[in-house]
Amino acid sequence: MEKIKQNKIWITIVVIGIIVIGILLAMLHQQKQNSPEAQSSSYVSSAKASSASTSVQDKNNEKVYAKKAASMKGHVYSDYFTSWSKQDFKNWANEYLSKPESERHQDGVKESFGTSTSWENSDTNMTYPLDKIAKQIQTDGVATNYYDTVKEFNKANPGFNPDDIKK
């Protein structure tokens, strides 16, 4: 009888020990799942899914923008609609560069190029963007960032919404 009681105590102690070890292993496993190493793979897969979704959205936007651009009329300089043609830019560059430097390099010399904004020289700051633009037109025959059509602008800037071109 005494021996059976001792065996029951030992069996109880062993069972309680196994339960405690099981609980400790479960806690350790939970802690591993919450570790930065374990979460990094989850983060990477989430980032990949987000990137793929953004990429698909960008492609869809580009298609929509291309359709809009194809139906829009007008010339574009930088991200402004302009009333000037390529020839207007060439004529302006020739006229501008024919002026003496002292006349070109003054504060307040500016040009809008048929847009709603102006590019201005500043003798005070010694910045002459109009010189750069005029020389570039003479060299290349057309201004950088000038597009004869909105469709051409869209081909060069597929992610830019044509509705955002400034008037």
Side-chain angles (χ1 to χ4, degrees):
M1 196 59 168
E2 186 78 25
K3 222 166 185 136
I4 294 175
K5 273 188 173 181
Q6 265 185 339
N7 283 345
K8 280 185 179 179
I9 291 173
W10 278 109
I11 291 173
T12 306
I13 290 172
V14 169
V15 168
I16 291 173
I18 290 172
I19 292 171
V20 168
I21 290 172
I23 291 171
L24 290 173
L25 286 173
M27 287 172 53
L28 183 63
H29 179 71
Q30 182 68 28
Q31 199 171 22
K32 273 189 176 179
Q33 282 183 332
N34 291 336
S35 73
E37 293 84 12
Q39 289 181 353
S40 69
S41 65
S42 172
Y43 173 77
V44 167
S45 64
S46 174
K48 283 182 181 177
S50 175
S51 175
S53 172
T54 301
S55 178
V56 167
Q57 183 63 43
D58 289 347
K59 290 287 183 200
N60 290 341
N61 284 346
E62 287 175 12
K63 289 176 185 176
V64 170
Y65 296 163
K67 280 185 178 181
K68 281 184 191 178
S71 67
M72 295 174 84
K73 304 263 185 245
H75 308 294
V76 180
Y77 179 62
S78 291
D79 56 349
Y80 292 88
F81 279 107
T82 178
S83 58
W84 285 24
S85 67
K86 284 181 187 178
Q87 190 58 48
D88 293 327
F89 277 94
K90 288 178 186 176
N91 294 342
W92 171 82
N94 290 332
E95 181 185 323
Y96 177 81
L97 291 173
S98 68
K99 295 177 183 176
E101 194 172 286
S102 61
E103 202 175 306
R104 294 187 327 236
H105 292 186
Q106 295 178 17
D107 286 337
V109 175
K110 60 183 169 183
E111 184 57 60
S112 68
F113 303 111
T115 67
S116 60
T117 192
S118 295
W119 287 258
E120 183 173 353
N121 287 343
S122 172
D123 195 40
T124 306
N125 297 329
M126 296 186 69
T127 56
Y128 309 106
L130 297 177
D131 280 23
K132 279 181 162 177
I133 295 167
K135 288 175 183 171
Q136 188 271 318
I137 291 169
Q138 274 198 330
T139 304
D140 298 341
V142 68
T144 301
N145 297 325
Y146 173 80
Y147 304 93
D148 219 17
T149 64
V150 179
K151 188 175 180 177
E152 283 179 17
F153 175 80
N154 178 259
K155 282 183 184 177
N157 305 286
F160 193 98
N161 185 348
D163 290 337
D164 293 338
I165 299 172
K166 298 170 189 98
K167 306 248 188 269

